[in-house]
Amino acid sequence: MTDTQVTELALQTMMLAAKVAAPVLLTALLVGFLISLFQAATQIQEQTLSFVPKMIAVAIALLVSGNWVLSELVSFTQSLFDMLPTLLGRT
């Protein structure tokens, strides 16, 4: 296994991690931003006001994007198993 292969595999892994985490993280970011705008406008500083809607939105995002996330992870794992002989130096 060469340095180039290790670097390429690490890059693919990090890109997949970013793609898989993006729907949940962006949903939490957007809902958190909207709730903070609401809290700033109304001067309500209740902690649960920001936590509960974020938790519900993240759960919905997981339900909506879960099938896609699973298919991406399965596809990546299958490609890793297909590349295994090449990575070990056996063809």
Side-chain angles (χ1 to χ4, degrees):
M1 196 166 176
T2 65
D3 293 343
T4 307
Q5 289 174 327
V6 171
T7 305
E8 184 177 328
L9 188 59
L11 179 66
Q12 288 175 356
T13 304
M14 286 187 262
M15 289 298 292
L16 178 69
K19 281 186 349 185
V20 165
V24 174
L25 293 176
L26 291 176
T27 301
L29 177 72
L30 180 65
V31 171
F33 179 71
L34 293 175
I35 294 297
S36 68
L37 281 179
F38 175 75
Q39 284 181 326
T42 61
Q43 295 183 355
I44 298 173
Q45 298 302 322
E46 180 64 33
Q47 292 297 323
T48 57
L49 183 63
S50 97
F51 179 72
V52 174
K54 241 192 278 191
M55 186 175 65
I56 292 170
V58 165
I60 291 171
L62 281 172
L63 286 173
V64 171
S65 66
N67 192 26
W68 173 77
V69 167
L70 185 61
S71 69
E72 287 288 320
L73 290 174
V74 167
S75 172
F76 182 71
T77 304
Q78 286 175 342
S79 71
L80 276 180
F81 279 121
D82 290 342
M83 291 172 30
L84 199 57
T86 308
L87 294 174
L88 293 176
R90 301 177 190 138
T91 54

